[in-house]
Amino acid sequence: MSGDGISAEQIREMGSFVDIEASPPPDEPTAHFLFGTNQMAPVEIAAERYHEGLAPLIITTGGINRHSGIVEGQVFRRLLIERGVPESAIRCEDQASNTWQNVELSLPHLREALASGLRITAVSKWYHRRTLHCLATLVPEIGPFYATSWEPIYAGKTVNRDDWPHIPDGKRRVIREWEEIPRRVAEGSFKDVRLAYGAWRN
């Protein structure tokens, strides 16, 4: 056991459970759904995939960030345009204050993507499993969907799949997902999702 009572096996189980990664096939264009944050990694991912022909529609989300004061969805939109993504390829949600609202307030954009024949790729922190459950719960017609992830930085430290137990900000967030997601699935406020055949499914 580690000093705080968490065994190495539990650490592996936690990390595996929360990990959202299920990248879309390299030849399948999808709509990229950028969950709000004050870190800019999602912009780089989406812009690169747009220029590869793999993100013909990008949905940016997020209202005022409580730490930095930026309006996340609008900042993402501006930075995407600066990186050569045309405004016509971007849909922007800029009122949400949490992950649930990122999806809820973007429902018209998500339905537009699905109606056009595109599957959805969630773009979020690697451990932010609630993003998947919010999509599955609020968009029951979503079908198989994908997720691509990035590693956030807190207090100058990168929270990755190996070091998160040793970084207080990362450890707190990973354990919260591991504890809260099963509880919310059990109580019925989240639909469950499973990873099968390379995609998330509800």
Side-chain angles (χ1 to χ4, degrees):
M1 303 287 283
S2 67
D4 56 8
I6 302 176
S7 69
E9 179 60 29
Q10 283 178 310
I11 287 172
R12 285 192 292 272
E13 289 177 2
M14 289 179 188
S16 177
F17 175 77
V18 302
D19 196 338
I20 70 166
E21 188 71 28
S23 295
D27 58 351
E28 181 180 349
T30 63
H32 281 49
F33 188 91
L34 279 52
F35 279 89
T37 176
N38 64 354
Q39 299 189 38
M40 297 301 116
V43 170
E44 305 302 337
I45 292 169
E48 180 179 349
R49 293 201 172 181
Y50 174 83
H51 290 298
E52 292 173 348
L54 297 174
L57 182 66
I58 301 171
I59 303 168
T60 70
T61 72
I64 298 172
N65 183 279
R66 66 182 183 275
H67 301 296
S68 66
I70 68 167
V71 179
E72 296 165 345
Q74 291 289 355
V75 170
F76 280 179
R77 176 181 172 276
R78 175 177 57 80
L79 292 175
L80 285 166
I81 291 171
E82 289 178 1
R83 285 156 177 76
V85 178
E87 192 170 354
S88 60
I90 304 169
R91 306 292 182 270
C92 181
E93 178 284 303
D94 62 2
Q95 300 296 314
S97 58
N98 56 48
T99 306
W100 181 269
Q101 289 182 358
N102 286 155
V103 178
E104 184 177 42
L105 299 178
S106 299
L107 287 175
H109 307 319
L110 286 159
R111 289 174 178 145
E112 175 191 357
L114 293 172
S116 71
L118 293 170
R119 289 185 177 174
I120 307 299
T121 295
V123 182
S124 185
K125 303 176 189 77
W126 70 269
Y127 57 78
H128 206 191
R129 170 125 183 189
R130 71 188 57 215
T131 60
L132 309 177
H133 294 268
C134 289
L135 282 166
T137 304
L138 285 164
V139 194
E141 71 274 27
I142 194 170
F145 65 102
Y146 306 108
T148 191
S149 64
W150 52 277
E151 298 173 340
I153 298 172
Y154 295 108
K157 295 183 179 180
T158 300
V159 178
N160 61 37
R161 289 167 175 84
D162 296 321
D163 293 340
W164 68 264
H166 311 294
I167 301 171
D169 281 329
K171 183 176 180 180
R172 175 173 57 85
R173 288 170 167 85
V174 168
I175 292 176
R176 181 185 68 172
E177 296 296 294
W178 180 70
E179 292 177 339
E180 184 172 340
I181 299 306
R183 176 181 63 79
R184 294 196 60 174
V185 169
E187 73 184 17
S189 60
F190 275 171
K191 282 193 174 182
D192 202 4
V193 296
R194 70 191 192 283
L195 183 61
Y197 304 106
W200 291 101
R201 301 165 191 268
N202 57 10

